[in-house]
Amino acid sequence: MILIASLLLAASSLSACKIKKHLTVASANEADATLVLQYEHGFEHYLTQREEQPIRGKMGRERTLFRKGGTCLLRDGERIGEDDPYYPMYLTDVFGDESVRLIEKFHKDQQPFFLNLWWLTPHKPYEPAPEPHWSQTAADGISNDQHCYRSMMARMDYNCGKVLYTLDKLGIADNTIVLFLSDNGGAYE
């Protein structure tokens, strides 16, 4: 199978990836998963939330998968530690900030790039997004899950805006293709 990242890498473009690991090959060994991501999928860099159990299952049950999302990240085959700036962050903010960082780096290095950014939002477990998005999405007559979902979507929209603003600020938006897709669909409520 030929994937777009492999084709772009062969054409001297630099690839980057933020991806949910369960979209790749499930592996009990993180080093094996690293090889799959880097070599079979064609990415030179990635940042992902580990799918490791029982950690991920526990975070899902406790509804902390996003709020403590930075605590279980894997960057280019290495677990990030407590000293990493992403460690205490909300997962959607991590993905937004890393995307902005990479775009700025690629632009500074005058390097063409392919950035594959997979937001985990909207996805259960629904959790409150950080302020101001939690308060801004409150409404009468909605359930807690609906409020969480709305706040999570607002936070993702805010981070999409940061990425698009960065492209504009650097003057490369007119020479950049942006596709926005979702594999998670709508909520059941």
Side-chain angles (χ1 to χ4, degrees), residues 92-164:
T92 305
D93 294 343
V94 169
F95 287 179
D97 286 2
E98 179 72 354
S99 297
V100 167
R101 183 190 74 77
L102 288 171
I103 292 167
E104 289 174 340
K105 178 189 180 306
F106 296 145
H107 178 51
K108 180 182 175 213
D109 295 345
Q110 298 182 351
Q111 175 68 48
F113 63 91
F114 171 65
L115 177 64
N116 187 359
L117 169 59
W118 294 81
W119 303 103
L120 190 56
T121 303
H123 200 290
K124 289 186 95 174
Y126 301 138
E127 303 173 27
E131 292 294 350
H133 298 103
W134 176 250
S135 296
Q136 290 175 346
T137 54
D140 292 333
I142 62 172
S143 70
N144 186 63
D145 273 354
Q146 288 170 327
H147 187 190
C148 289
Y149 180 88
R150 290 167 61 140
S151 72
M152 292 169 74
M153 292 298 296
R155 194 65 173 202
M156 181 183 67
D157 186 58
Y158 165 74
N159 277 283
C160 286
K162 288 192 322 189
V163 171
L164 296 175

Side-chain angles (χ1 to χ4, degrees), residues 1-188:
M1 177 186 325
I2 299 174
L3 301 173
I4 192 167
S6 300
L7 292 173
L8 292 172
L9 187 60
S12 298
S13 292
L14 185 62
S15 299
C17 175
K18 261 110 9 241
I19 190 167
K20 298 178 284 178
K21 191 184 277 189
H22 67 268
L23 291 178
T24 63
V25 173
S27 173
N29 182 324
E30 288 180 348
D32 290 345
T34 298
L35 292 175
V36 169
L37 278 168
Q38 287 182 323
Y39 301 114
E40 289 185 24
H41 292 183
F43 293 104
E44 294 180 328
H45 168 74
Y46 71 92
L47 177 67
T48 185
Q49 196 176 51
R50 297 187 340 253
E51 290 289 317
E52 183 180 330
Q53 297 296 343
I55 294 170
R56 187 172 167 90
K58 181 177 188 273
M59 292 175 79
R61 286 187 302 279
E62 293 173 351
R63 293 186 175 215
T64 59
L65 195 62
F66 289 88
R67 289 179 282 175
K68 293 184 178 180
T71 64
C72 58
L73 292 174
L74 189 67
R75 180 190 294 118
D76 300 331
E78 301 291 327
R79 293 179 182 192
I80 71 158
E82 292 181 26
D83 59 335
D84 191 288
Y86 292 153
Y87 190 85
M89 291 176 61
Y90 184 74
L91 185 63
T92 305
D93 294 343
V94 169
F95 287 179
D97 286 2
E98 179 72 354
S99 297
V100 167
R101 183 190 74 77
L102 288 171
I103 292 167
E104 289 174 340
K105 178 189 180 306
F106 296 145
H107 178 51
K108 180 182 175 213
D109 295 345
Q110 298 182 351
Q111 175 68 48
F113 63 91
F114 171 65
L115 177 64
N116 187 359
L117 169 59
W118 294 81
W119 303 103
L120 190 56
T121 303
H123 200 290
K124 289 186 95 174
Y126 301 138
E127 303 173 27
E131 292 294 350
H133 298 103
W134 176 250
S135 296
Q136 290 175 346
T137 54
D140 292 333
I142 62 172
S143 70
N144 186 63
D145 273 354
Q146 288 170 327
H147 187 190
C148 289
Y149 180 88
R150 290 167 61 140
S151 72
M152 292 169 74
M153 292 298 296
R155 194 65 173 202
M156 181 183 67
D157 186 58
Y158 165 74
N159 277 283
C160 286
K162 288 192 322 189
V163 171
L164 296 175
Y165 172 77
T166 301
L167 296 172
D168 282 333
K169 176 182 78 172
L170 298 175
I172 58 175
D174 290 342
N175 194 27
T176 303
I177 297 172
V178 176
L179 303 174
F180 185 89
L181 308 167
S182 174
D183 70 334
N184 290 313
Y188 65 92

